[in-house]
Amino acid sequence: MSDLGAETWIIHGTLMGWWWNRKASRTTDAPRTSSDRTQIMPWDSDIDVHVSEDTMHFLASYYNMTIHTVRTTHAPQGKNYMMEINPKWVDGDPEDTLNQIDGRWIDMLSGVFIDITAVRRKRKHPGRLFCKDRHEYREADLFPLRDSVFEERPVKVPYNYAELLQEEYGRVSLTRTRFAG
């Protein structure tokens, strides 16, 4: 989405995949099966990114329901993705549990998607941010974003990524080498 001028950063289980090996997919070269399309990492079935509220407004205003071709070394011919923004993205109420995801970047062939969630400023709490899924952050834990690579693509990760992962998944999540499923 950086090609669109949208600053995004990976978060949640996707950030955990980045922590462990900078990859979302399996480490085998065997052909993919239909089950591979729905299970991206052992602990997650999608990719999660955050954007600022201003970026979400930009995407909703100019890119909702648009199709984009992305070329990679694994898909030199390109793969088509559709940007879909939830019309309820503007409602930051975490009580609306049916609309916690603000947008999706959807692979039009497999249906696999990237969840896009807006990070909003918490009124009356300077330096605090939140998402509709009830995650809260200190602004200093997210920014400045760090440049990295994930699945051979440039990505941004939160500044204090290790602390955020420990807070969400526990300290052992950064050291245990086997997923307990």
Side-chain angles (χ1 to χ4, degrees):
M1 284 190 282
S2 62
D3 294 347
L4 304 177
E7 182 176 65
T8 64
W9 58 96
I10 58 176
I11 199 73
H12 305 312
T14 309
L15 186 62
M16 183 64 74
W18 170 86
W19 166 266
W20 278 104
N21 61 5
R22 309 299 193 259
K23 290 189 166 290
S25 59
R26 320 170 278 127
T27 55
T28 177
D29 290 330
R32 291 187 176 272
T33 66
S34 61
S35 65
D36 292 329
R37 283 187 268 242
T38 58
Q39 194 64 35
I40 294 176
M41 290 168 275
W43 54 82
D44 216 341
S45 61
D46 66 357
I47 293 176
D48 298 295
V49 299
H50 278 171
V51 299
S52 69
E53 195 168 15
D54 289 342
T55 297
M56 184 56 71
H57 182 267
F58 169 74
L59 292 172
S61 297
Y62 298 104
Y63 291 103
N64 190 25
M65 303 308 288
T66 58
I67 297 171
H68 306 268
T69 302
V70 177
R71 289 173 176 70
T72 66
T73 55
H74 298 294
Q77 73 287 359
K79 291 179 79 173
N80 289 327
Y81 292 85
M82 181 176 63
M83 172 74 63
E84 179 183 50
I85 305 300
N86 182 341
K88 294 223 172 201
W89 81 267
V90 294
D91 181 4
D93 183 2
E95 299 302 320
D96 185 0
T97 59
L98 297 177
N99 289 292
Q100 291 182 337
I101 302 303
D102 295 313
R104 288 207 163 117
W105 187 247
I106 305 166
D107 180 325
M108 294 182 64
L109 181 62
S110 70
V112 171
F113 50 85
I114 297 171
D115 281 339
I116 306 166
T117 306
V119 175
R120 298 151 161 57
R121 294 201 177 281
K122 198 165 185 184
R123 296 189 201 324
K124 300 180 184 175
H125 298 279
R128 299 293 297 180
L129 306 168
F130 78 100
C131 297
K132 290 192 285 188
D133 62 7
R134 298 186 188 273
H135 283 91
E136 291 192 20
Y137 306 97
R138 290 180 326 143
E139 193 167 0
D141 285 339
L142 295 179
F143 302 106
L145 296 172
R146 298 173 185 255
D147 292 320
S148 190
V149 175
F150 185 64
E151 286 290 332
E152 301 176 14
R153 303 285 294 180
V155 296
K156 296 202 180 277
V157 298
Y159 180 76
N160 202 355
Y161 55 83
E163 186 171 312
L164 292 174
L165 287 170
Q166 288 177 42
E167 186 177 299
E168 187 167 357
Y169 299 107
R171 189 168 301 281
V172 71
S173 67
L174 302 185
T175 57
R176 180 181 286 161
T177 58
R178 294 227 185 254
F179 174 64

